[in-house]
Amino acid sequence: MKKIIPFCLLLCLSFAGWAQTKYSNEFLSLGIGARGLSMANTMCAISDDVTSAYWNPAGLARMDKRYQLSLMHAEYFAGIAKYDYAGIGYKIDDRSSVALSYIRFGVDNIMNTTELIDAQGNLDYDRISYFSASDNALLMSYAYAFQKVEGLALGANAKIIYRNIGKFAYAWGFGLDFGLQYHRKGWQAGAFLRDGTSTFNAWSYRLTDEMAEAFERTGNELPSNGLELTVPALILSGAKQVDFGKGFNATFALGLDCTFDGKRNNLIRTKVMSMDPHFGMEFAYKKIVALRAGIGNFQQEPDFDGKRRTTLQINLGLGVCIKNVVTIDYAFTDIGDLSIAQYSHIFSLKVAIDNFKKQNKND
């Protein structure tokens, strides 16, 4: 009996069945926090709060408050895809910090029409169900600042990945990240080895007889349980902070993302690795307000006549801090020119405190 299978479901299951090394777990490359997004992801050297767990875990050692909480929600593809982040950080002492972060990128309410036609061949719309396809990551982070080498900090992430396509397929994964930051006299440098041990996703499938029949009828290969591999990527960054006096300052940052999974359509690419440069800047008044801009996503795109042209993405942003406790950041950015509505408005929130309540003076 003929069954109707949603195209998106067939596509997701078909691609998930292959053990890939390129573009695996790409939801972890989007960036988090409106500050970093507005500065074109040039945060590896300058991140110094709870969001460092994502950008470079070594930056957690520079948290200025004992407790930090950060939240972000963004929507892409006209609201079809939801992108969420939540992180909490705790400063153990002057030298070490820990953080716990959760990231989710998902599409909800996808129609499952595998039961649309009943045994008599009649259409029954009450038989339509819905499912979600989502990528989830849990990051557990630790950072330590060395005492003998002032300005040097190291950090690491242990991350657990869970990806699912409704009840039809799911994968569990695990990997480690390693980061380093060094600061001296206004100069800042950072290195972040993402998926330093490689990240492994083990896929399992639960195909019904009807779905297996639809795969065969449409010429798709039946997916089988397999392993998906994310190879290491090296992110390098340098920055300079300039003090203009009277509370005004600026930060200029340069980032370079190096991937080793084959030639990509980046500005700099060889057979061994591809490099994606980013530029970001921030102009601030004390810790009250900041204006930001960034340039990134350089690509070589072919024209209709075969000639290649260089394209880029410009990001803008604004940050406001209230009483050095609550920070609201805004970014006018894009997810790499993938959505129909090219630019999105993204907001993120950060709360930073030293104590939950004031201490009694007599204590």
Side-chain angles (χ1 to χ4, degrees):
M1 181 180 296
K2 186 176 180 180
K3 299 290 183 181
I4 301 175
I5 303 292
F7 173 76
C8 59
L9 177 58
L10 281 173
L11 189 65
C12 290
L13 291 175
S14 298
F15 282 132
W18 294 92
Q20 302 175 356
T21 58
K22 182 179 281 192
Y23 307 120
S24 173
N25 291 333
E26 276 295 291
F27 76 104
L28 290 178
S29 300
L30 296 177
I32 56 97
R35 183 193 181 202
L37 294 173
S38 64
M39 295 181 69
N41 295 10
T42 54
M43 301 298 293
C44 180
I46 64 177
S47 61
D48 57 1
D49 58 13
V50 62
T51 62
S52 297
Y54 173 87
W55 298 112
N56 184 346
L60 291 170
R62 300 171 56 217
M63 286 173 48
D64 59 354
K65 296 292 183 68
R66 182 171 293 272
Y67 305 97
Q68 287 193 1
L69 170 69
S70 182
L71 302 171
M72 184 196 76
H73 172 74
E75 297 188 1
Y76 297 108
F77 313 112
I80 296 176
K82 306 293 192 296
Y83 183 40
D84 296 286
Y85 156 78
I88 184 169
Y90 174 69
K91 192 173 183 66
I92 301 173
D93 52 40
D94 292 339
R95 296 286 174 181
S96 57
S97 301
V98 294
L100 186 67
S101 309
Y102 173 69
I103 300 172
R104 180 186 186 270
F105 189 94
V107 178
D108 302 312
N109 297 319
I110 303 173
M111 295 179 64
N112 174 21
T113 60
T114 57
E115 305 293 334
L116 179 60
I117 302 177
D118 61 22
Q120 289 73 40
N122 301 314
L123 291 174
D124 185 356
Y125 293 100
D126 292 333
R127 296 165 64 91
I128 295 177
S129 60
Y130 297 86
F131 67 95
S132 297
S134 66
D135 299 327
N136 305 265
L138 181 67
L139 279 63
M140 296 165 284
S141 312
Y142 174 78
Y144 179 78
F146 289 89
Q147 186 172 6
K148 292 184 178 181
V149 184
E150 192 64 32
L152 177 64
L154 296 178
N157 291 331
K159 57 187 178 185
I160 299 174
I161 309 294
Y162 177 70
R163 304 176 65 186
N164 75 294
I165 306 172
K167 62 181 180 180
F168 313 108
Y170 68 93
W172 285 99
F174 178 79
L176 298 176
D177 307 324
F178 305 97
L180 177 150
Q181 275 190 355
Y182 182 68
H183 300 258
R184 181 177 175 83
K185 297 181 179 180
W187 290 94
Q188 306 172 63
F192 180 40
L193 186 61
R194 178 177 290 155
D195 303 303
T197 58
S198 294
T199 298
F200 301 87
N201 292 345
W203 280 95
S204 298
Y205 300 89
R206 303 167 179 166
L207 296 183
T208 64
D209 294 338
E210 292 83 0
M211 293 178 63
E213 177 187 344
F215 266 81
E216 294 175 350
R217 186 174 58 253
T218 54
N220 287 280
E221 182 178 349
L222 286 174
S224 58
N225 296 347
L227 192 65
E228 188 180 60
L229 175 69
T230 306
V231 299
L234 178 63
I235 291 90
L236 303 173
S237 180
K240 172 62 175 177
Q241 186 176 48
V242 181
D243 189 356
F244 299 117
K246 296 184 179 180
F248 292 93
N249 63 81
T251 300
F252 303 92
L254 168 66
L256 190 64
D257 297 354
C258 306
T259 54
F260 308 91
D261 51 11
K263 185 182 289 187
R264 299 194 179 198
N265 192 31
N266 292 339
L267 186 64
I268 306 171
R269 58 194 187 277
T270 67
K271 293 182 179 179
V272 178
M273 68 176 179
S274 299
M275 292 175 282
D276 187 17
H278 309 265
F279 305 92
M281 62 189 73
E282 179 181 66
F283 298 91
Y285 174 67
K286 296 183 177 179
K287 291 186 177 181
I288 300 175
V289 64
L291 294 175
R292 304 175 182 121
I295 302 174
N297 194 31
F298 293 91
Q299 294 191 22
Q300 295 287 328
E301 296 184 356
D303 289 327
F304 290 104
D305 57 2
K307 295 182 179 180
R308 289 185 173 271
R309 61 188 181 92
T310 301
T311 63
L312 55 85
Q313 177 182 322
I314 300 175
N315 312 290
L316 301 172
L318 172 69
V320 177
C321 185
I322 304 173
K323 295 184 178 180
N324 202 27
V325 174
V326 177
T327 302
I328 301 173
D329 291 312
Y330 163 76
F332 184 57
T333 184
D334 186 19
I335 189 178
D337 293 329
L338 293 180
S339 59
I340 297 175
Q342 291 190 348
Y343 278 82
S344 300
H345 303 279
I346 298 177
F347 292 87
S348 62
L349 172 71
K350 184 181 73 174
V351 179
I353 58 175
D354 278 322
N355 296 288
F356 287 103
K357 62 180 180 179
K358 293 183 179 180
Q359 296 292 326
N360 192 315
K361 295 182 179 181
N362 296 325
D363 290 346

